[in-house]
Amino acid sequence: MKEGFVLFVDEGEASKKILEELKSDGRWTENLKIIDISKSKLRGWLLLEYGSVKTPMLVTGSNVISGYEEVLSFLRKLVER
């Protein structure tokens, strides 16, 4: 992965599952910043900025991907390149 990404997570099961996946494959964490919105007041900001508060949410320079399967699929495609 060459670009920098931001992954927004919370205390939900989907977020926990994606974090487990990330821990098992260190290639994904190199350019990935993880922000836990359950410990901050960012949920409202996500709604204003990205139109959703569904987590996990991956934000790239040109994409906003939310949901466990969607985020994992996007990350896997990047690693395969």
Side-chain angles (χ1 to χ4, degrees):
M1 292 182 0
K2 297 176 184 174
E3 300 177 52
F5 302 102
V6 178
L7 178 65
F8 294 96
V9 297
D10 62 11
E11 294 177 338
E13 287 303 312
S15 291
K16 289 177 184 176
K17 284 173 57 178
I18 200 83
L19 290 172
E20 288 175 19
E21 290 282 342
L22 292 172
K23 286 180 187 176
S24 70
D25 189 340
R27 297 177 295 175
W28 294 346
T29 58
E30 184 177 314
N31 295 315
L32 184 65
K33 181 174 183 171
I34 299 171
I35 299 175
D36 187 344
I37 65 168
S38 63
K39 298 175 183 171
S40 66
K41 298 183 181 193
L42 292 176
R43 193 171 296 273
W45 177 81
L46 287 178
L47 184 58
L48 288 172
E49 188 71 23
Y50 303 113
S52 176
V53 293
K54 183 178 178 184
T55 56
M57 179 187 297
L58 181 69
V59 177
T60 73
S62 58
N63 295 296
V64 176
I65 302 106
S66 61
Y68 171 77
E69 292 293 332
E70 295 82 359
V71 170
L72 194 57
S73 174
F74 183 85
L75 290 173
R76 285 182 175 153
K77 288 177 186 174
L78 287 176
V79 170
E80 291 173 0
R81 290 184 188 175

